[in-house]
Amino acid sequence: DAGVIQSPRHEVTEMGQEVTLRCKPISGHNSLFWYRQTMMRGLELLIYFNNNVPIDDSGMPEDRFSAKMPNASFSTLKIQPSEPRDSAVYFCASRDIGFTQYFGPGTRLTVL
Amino acid sequence: GESVGLHLPTLSVQEGDNSIINCAYSNSASDYFIWYKQESGKGPQFIIDIRSNMDKRQGQRVTVLLNKTVKHLSLQIAATQPGDSAVYFCAEDLGSQGNLIFGKGTKLSVKP
């Protein structure tokens, strides 16, 4: 099992640029979660999907953030335009019908 | 790959000793709890879970204890090894939509 796959692993961009983070959940999992982790705020849930449908996006910081899940095997988190305060590690996690979420390796985003 | 909060509790133990990591959870309605381990530069990794109808569950070298009266969760690691050095997070599931609420984490350092 390849686990949750995220790309890129590292992203460095300049303020104002668009950033797209990608996630492939574990095959057969029907829920997908996007988290952001920073030293100041720890691990924060941004949004999650059940069966490709967004259920709760109350954690999305502002309109600059958007997430999509066009099919069961792919999701994107987009930041447009990016700002230095968006610098963080972004994790994707997936879950089957149980409760346990399985995390990907994360994308470390640096916005200059 | 720092993943610690600004005031992350730290536990330092000698190799071979037992470790106990504590967590206070917030919601008495939570019915499922998980412990995750996060090594530097990696995503959180599932260790062990427990349902609210149990007060103890054992895995390989790890035991989770649940005290619902005082809303307290603990993770015991037997014969702690250098490879156990990581940040440990507890998480609770409110049972409504499958959201996990993560604690701030505890950093475990194992001295050889």
Side-chain angles (χ1 to χ4, degrees), chain A residues 4 25-33 35 48-51 55 69 92-103, chain B residues 32 34 36 93-100:
Chain A
V4 175
I26 294 172
S27 178
H29 284 193
N30 60 358
S31 297
L32 184 142
F33 304 78
Y35 291 88
Y48 76 96
F49 298 82
N50 276 349
N51 296 316
I55 301 300
M69 192 166 186
C92 175
S94 71
R95 186 192 71 197
D96 59 13
I97 60 173
F99 293 94
T100 304
Q101 295 180 23
Y102 296 89
F103 284 76
Chain B
Y32 179 71
I34 308 177
Y36 283 92
D93 188 305
L94 299 182
S96 55
Q97 296 282 0
N99 252 3
L100 287 180

Side-chain angles (χ1 to χ4, degrees), chain A residues 9 33 35 37-43 45 48 50 55-56 91 95 99-105 108, chain B residues 1-6 32 34 36 38 41-44 46 49 51 89 93 97-100 102 104:
Chain A
R9 293 296 311 277
F33 304 78
Y35 291 88
Q37 188 174 46
T38 62
M39 290 182 64
M40 292 299 296
R41 291 192 296 270
L43 201 58
L45 177 67
Y48 76 96
N50 276 349
I55 301 300
D56 183 359
F91 289 104
R95 186 192 71 197
F99 293 94
T100 304
Q101 295 180 23
Y102 296 89
F103 284 76
R108 180 174 292 277
Chain B
E2 287 297 322
S3 61
V4 300
L6 194 60
Y32 179 71
I34 308 177
Y36 283 92
Q38 187 174 23
K42 297 183 179 179
F46 170 83
D49 58 1
R51 300 295 300 267
F89 295 93
D93 188 305
Q97 296 282 0
N99 252 3
L100 287 180
F102 283 83
K104 293 298 183 184

Side-chain angles (χ1 to χ4, degrees), chain A residues 30-106:
Chain A
N30 60 358
S31 297
L32 184 142
F33 304 78
W34 281 102
Y35 291 88
R36 177 173 67 178
Q37 188 174 46
T38 62
M39 290 182 64
M40 292 299 296
R41 291 192 296 270
L43 201 58
E44 304 173 278
L45 177 67
L46 299 177
I47 185 171
Y48 76 96
F49 298 82
N50 276 349
N51 296 316
N52 313 338
V53 176
I55 301 300
D56 183 359
D57 64 355
S58 60
M60 296 286 261
E62 48 197 273
D63 291 346
R64 297 185 297 107
F65 286 68
S66 63
K68 294 182 179 179
M69 192 166 186
N71 57 62
S73 59
F74 183 67
S75 177
T76 59
L77 177 67
K78 184 176 294 186
I79 308 172
Q80 164 67 14
S82 58
E83 297 181 3
R85 61 192 168 123
D86 301 330
S87 297
V89 181
Y90 291 81
F91 289 104
C92 175
S94 71
R95 186 192 71 197
D96 59 13
I97 60 173
F99 293 94
T100 304
Q101 295 180 23
Y102 296 89
F103 284 76

Side-chain angles (χ1 to χ4, degrees), chain B residues 4 7-15 17-23 35 74-78 80-82 84-88 105-112:
Chain B
V4 300
H7 299 293
L8 195 71
T10 300
L11 175 66
S12 184
V13 300
Q14 202 70 37
E15 181 180 358
D17 288 351
N18 297 333
S19 303
I20 299 176
I21 301 172
N22 296 304
C23 175
W35 280 100
S74 68
L75 177 70
Q76 300 178 0
I77 304 174
T80 312
Q81 303 168 0
D84 295 326
S85 294
V87 177
Y88 289 81
T106 296
K107 183 176 183 179
L108 176 65
S109 295
V110 182
K111 296 176 288 187

Side-chain angles (χ1 to χ4, degrees), chain B residues 27-103:
Chain B
N27 196 316
S28 57
S30 294
D31 60 3
Y32 179 71
F33 306 87
I34 308 177
W35 280 100
Y36 283 92
K37 172 187 179 183
Q38 187 174 23
E39 296 174 275
S40 181
K42 297 183 179 179
Q45 177 187 9
F46 170 83
I47 302 175
I48 192 168
D49 58 1
I50 189 168
R51 300 295 300 267
S52 60
N53 60 354
M54 303 171 67
D55 53 20
K56 180 179 180 179
R57 190 169 187 212
Q58 288 185 294
Q60 186 177 17
R61 282 203 307 120
V62 294
T63 301
V64 55
L65 299 177
L66 175 63
N67 185 331
K68 294 182 287 296
T69 302
V70 294
K71 293 191 287 186
H72 183 267
L73 196 66
S74 68
L75 177 70
Q76 300 178 0
I77 304 174
T80 312
Q81 303 168 0
D84 295 326
S85 294
V87 177
Y88 289 81
F89 295 93
C90 66
E92 59 184 303
D93 188 305
L94 299 182
S96 55
Q97 296 282 0
N99 252 3
L100 287 180
I101 307 299
F102 283 83

